[in-house]
Amino acid sequence: MSRSPHHPIQLRSMDLQDALAPLPLSSSPLPPPLPPPQSAVQNPSSHLWASQCGPPPWGLSCLLALQHILVLASLLCASHLLLLQGLPPGELSSSPAQLLASSFFSCGVSTILQIWIGSRLPLVQAPSLEFLVPALVLTQKLPLAIQTPGNSSLVLRRCGGPGCPGLALWNTSLREVSGAVVVSGLLQGTLGLLGGPGHLFPHCGPLVLAPSLVVAGFSAHREVALFCSTHWGLALLLILLVVVCSQHLGSCQVPPCPWRPASNSSPHTPIPVFRLFSVLVPVACVWIISALLGLRLIPLELAASPKAPWVWLPHPAEWTWPLLTPRALAAGISMALAASTSSLGCYALCGRLLQLPSPPPHACSRGLSLEGLGSMLAGMLGSPMGTASSFPNVGTVSLIQAGSRRVAHLAGLLCVGLGLSPRLAQLLTAIPLPVLGGVLGVTQAVVLSTGFSSFHLADIDSGRNVFIVGFSIFMALLLPRWLREAPVLMSTGWSPLDVLLRSLLTEPIFLAGLLGFLLENTIPGTRLERGLGQGMPSPFAAPKAQMPEKSREKGAKEYELPFPIQKLHPCIPQPLRCLCPLPEDPGNEEGGPSEPGETADLLPGFGEQCPESSRELGSQ
């Protein structure tokens, strides 16, 4: 093993079939070819995806996919545990292992479809925490209580208030939650099919994306604290190992293993193994240490059960059909809006990390449609959680600085395999709780940092922007806390409306995105001030005119449908043409060279240019 801090090789999997190529986001001409690796100087932490080493070998891809499975399992176990906490397994018509397996199966199918004909980004689908809040509200369960005896660690406490349901009602409650997941999938799929993202994207900029990412990173801190509190020593050890492997040892490289290298990569290219496996290695080490110490820190709600079968084919209505009620409809609307906001942020973040143009409207519309299909499948299989693009998995991509469609495909196939075997899926519940908390804590921290890094795309010294950022983040964190600790629950006299309002007002990501969108488009500001002007590309609406023609064409191909599907384009009905790429109109390109006129898209009378500027705002 050698340490070469001045010559890191950052793994990237590149070709149109397997991965995504790096694209410069600058209007300057293409730089001259880089010198050979021996003379190149690159800081591994200063820029992502700087080097190309070809597609990762299959063996390495399998290990990277397993790493994503561990992150996905952390999110799955966390969401199911928080929903089923305090519920005896014997009161369920299905075992928790089968609930986990059905979630794994729907996540795997959704991931494969997302990469094949969806957004085409290497995104792993997972049960987002945005589904958890409406589910808890729908089951009339009070927010998870945190009990702190003296100066000791946090402990979980069962719901004991007058609003808590009896054990006999839990099957009905879970059926109602599954019905809400089906409703959310239908609504999310409809929004995608109607091209909703395409109508919203021209009005979105860095001041909409950045607060959403910051709040997304903050929103899971309570859950992370709950899991880490079961054993702070193991949790801190895991976090320390992840930091050391990904940052301090990130430039350490080892000779390639005897895996067969890809056709366009050199067989002598060293591999930054510590950075690539900065989640897998710490999890394995802490898991082993926990076993050697005899610490059993496994949630009893998801503990192994002899009833879990080895082979099982998930199919709809195996136990009971989802229950559709007005309350389930209200919770489903909340789930769809929050999950859509979260997924659009994931698309923009992943495209920025891969140095691609921002996802075009047709790619985002397809992505949301297929996420809705995945949620409908999850609800029909009896899962209490839908599917959405996973922020922790995107944070893992940023942490290890490697992303590939091949890896995401393998992760989806592994999820399907785990979904067909509840006993194998239940093996992942043997991961200690502090390990789950540590993994989620580190990945959420990376998402938080990417949100802060997005502020530089706009003029953050502007008083207008300072107000938008501060107000959006603070209110998105304040309102859920206020409603959670209010002595009297919000009541309008109609239960479905209560569920809708309590669900939406306790979704931090939705609140941040909504407030940022409204303030960004109603407060006047110049394009340069908003991060939409020349030289300041927005990660949510990147100006294509600032990119070289070849890079623009190559980036457009990354989001195109596979060639066999493109042949069916003439057969697609006209209302669904928004899911297909359209020929570019050179006279209406987004973000073309222009003067920074003052705009406020949603204010009456501000759709045109302010008198001080001579620019028309047709591109807005």
Side-chain angles (χ1 to χ4, degrees):
M1 185 176 69
S2 63
R3 182 175 179 87
S4 53
H6 301 290
H7 317 289
I9 301 296
Q10 299 182 359
L11 184 63
R12 273 271 277 142
S13 54
M14 300 302 76
D15 65 10
L16 291 179
Q17 289 75 25
D18 293 310
L20 305 170
L23 298 175
L25 295 178
S26 172
S27 59
S28 59
L30 289 174
L34 292 175
Q38 289 78 9
S39 60
V41 177
Q42 178 78 15
N43 186 352
S45 62
S46 62
H47 195 56
L48 294 178
W49 329 106
S51 303
Q52 298 185 25
C53 299
W58 283 102
L60 184 59
S61 297
C62 290
L63 291 178
L64 293 175
L66 178 61
Q67 187 168 239
H68 279 285
I69 291 296
L70 290 176
V71 178
L72 173 60
S74 301
L75 196 56
L76 260 174
C77 293
S79 57
H80 282 74
L81 177 60
L82 292 174
L83 184 62
L84 302 178
Q85 189 268 333
L87 175 65
E91 294 293 329
L92 289 172
S93 58
S94 59
S95 66
Q98 289 175 303
L99 288 178
L100 279 176
S102 63
S103 294
F104 269 116
F105 185 82
S106 57
C107 289
V109 173
S110 182
T111 298
I112 295 172
L113 292 177
Q114 186 72 234
I115 300 169
W116 180 39
I117 56 176
S119 64
R120 304 280 290 161
L121 292 168
L123 291 169
V124 177
Q125 303 298 294
S128 173
L129 292 178
E130 281 67 53
F131 290 95
L132 181 62
V133 172
L136 293 177
V137 173
L138 186 60
T139 57
Q140 296 182 355
K141 185 178 180 181
L142 295 177
L144 191 63
I146 302 179
Q147 198 173 32
T148 310
N151 198 25
S152 60
S153 299
L154 302 174
V155 296
L156 298 176
R157 177 167 56 87
R158 284 185 57 178
C159 178
C164 295
L167 296 179
L169 300 178
W170 269 99
N171 278 326
T172 302
S173 298
L174 290 181
R175 287 180 56 203
E176 204 172 15
V177 172
S178 297
V181 171
V182 173
V183 171
S184 72
L186 286 172
L187 180 58
Q188 198 170 2
T190 303
L191 289 175
L193 291 176
L194 295 179
H199 298 292
L200 294 179
F201 271 21
H203 305 285
C204 295
L207 297 181
V208 179
L209 172 66
S212 300
L213 294 179
V214 171
V215 172
F218 276 128
S219 61
H221 73 281
R222 295 180 69 250
E223 290 77 10
V224 171
L226 285 171
F227 296 142
C228 290
S229 64
T230 55
H231 198 290
W232 283 107
L234 291 180
L236 292 176
L237 177 60
L238 175 78
I239 295 174
L240 177 63
L241 290 177
V242 172
V243 172
V244 170
C245 289
S246 63
Q247 307 302 322
H248 298 86
L249 300 180
S251 58
C252 287
Q253 302 168 8
V254 298
C257 294
W259 292 316
R260 181 180 177 182
S263 57
N264 60 336
S265 62
S266 170
H268 305 293
T269 300
I271 299 175
V273 63
F274 288 102
R275 188 178 73 232
L276 289 178
F277 302 125
S278 54
V279 175
L280 182 62
V281 172
V283 168
C285 293
V286 177
W287 197 350
I288 293 174
I289 293 174
S290 175
L292 293 177
L293 295 177
L295 299 175
R296 183 173 176 81
L297 302 169
I298 303 173
L300 298 178
E301 293 81 5
L302 303 177
S305 171
K307 297 180 181 179
W310 281 103
V311 179
W312 174 63
L313 181 61
H315 58 275
E318 179 177 4
W319 307 300
T320 52
W321 286 99
L323 183 60
L324 296 178
T325 63
R327 287 165 47 85
L329 177 63
I333 294 174
S334 174
M335 290 179 178
L337 294 177
S340 299
T341 304
S342 173
S343 296
L344 292 177
C346 274
Y347 297 162
L349 175 59
C350 188
R352 183 185 172 199
L353 290 175
L354 297 174
Q355 292 188 355
L356 291 172
S358 64
H362 63 82
C364 294
S365 298
R366 294 197 309 265
L368 284 182
S369 300
L370 291 175
E371 286 186 12
L373 179 62
S375 293
M376 284 191 289
L377 175 62
M380 295 299 293
L381 294 178
S383 173
M385 295 290 167
T387 62
S389 297
S390 169
F391 269 120
N393 286 93
V394 177
T396 303
V397 170
S398 177
L399 191 67
I400 68 176
Q401 300 185 2
S404 169
R405 285 183 187 148
R406 177 184 294 178
V407 173
H409 266 301
L410 289 175
L413 291 175
L414 287 176
C415 285
V416 172
L418 291 171
L420 297 176
S421 177
R423 187 66 65 88
L424 288 179
Q426 204 167 38
L427 291 178
L428 294 176
T429 64
I431 302 176
L433 281 177
V435 174
L436 301 180
V439 170
L440 290 179
V442 174
T443 53
Q444 290 292 116
V446 175
V447 174
L448 173 66
S449 64
T450 55
F452 282 122
S453 68
S454 300
F455 290 139
H456 81 280
L457 298 171
D459 183 9
I460 198 56
D461 292 328
S462 165
R464 167 193 184 273
N465 294 351
V466 169
F467 173 79
I468 292 175
V469 170
F471 187 85
S472 301
I473 295 177
F474 186 77
M475 287 300 172
L477 297 175
L478 171 66
L479 284 176
R481 182 68 178 266
W482 171 47
L483 292 176
R484 187 165 55 243
E485 297 185 357
V488 179
L489 295 178
M490 179 184 297
S491 177
T492 62
W494 188 38
S495 180
L497 183 58
D498 293 341
V499 171
L500 178 62
L501 293 178
R502 287 164 56 189
S503 299
L504 287 178
L505 295 179
T506 50
E507 291 279 12
I509 296 180
F510 171 75
L511 291 175
L514 177 64
L515 293 175
F517 177 81
L518 292 177
L519 294 176
E520 165 74 353
N521 291 279
T522 56
I523 301 177
T526 64
R527 288 177 54 82
L528 186 64
E529 187 180 20
R530 299 170 60 185
L532 303 176
Q534 186 175 6
M536 294 187 109
S538 163
F540 220 74
K544 300 178 181 179
Q546 297 177 7
M547 303 174 60
E549 184 66 27
K550 291 183 179 180
S551 297
R552 291 170 54 194
E553 294 177 357
K554 192 173 183 180
K557 291 181 180 179
E558 299 293 348
Y559 296 108
E560 288 182 356
L561 289 168
F563 183 71
I565 307 296
Q566 292 181 18
K567 294 182 178 180
L568 302 177
H569 185 273
C571 305
I572 298 178
Q574 184 64 32
L576 301 182
R577 292 293 176 89
C578 60
L579 305 180
C580 304
L582 300 175
E584 291 190 9
D585 182 7
N588 191 31
E589 286 185 349
E590 225 179 292
S594 60
E595 297 180 10
E598 189 172 352
T599 66
D601 296 338
L602 302 184
L603 281 179
F606 279 96
E608 301 176 356
Q609 178 188 347
C610 289
E612 294 82 1
S613 175
S614 61
R615 182 186 175 274
E616 296 183 359
L617 303 176
S619 63
Q620 288 295 310

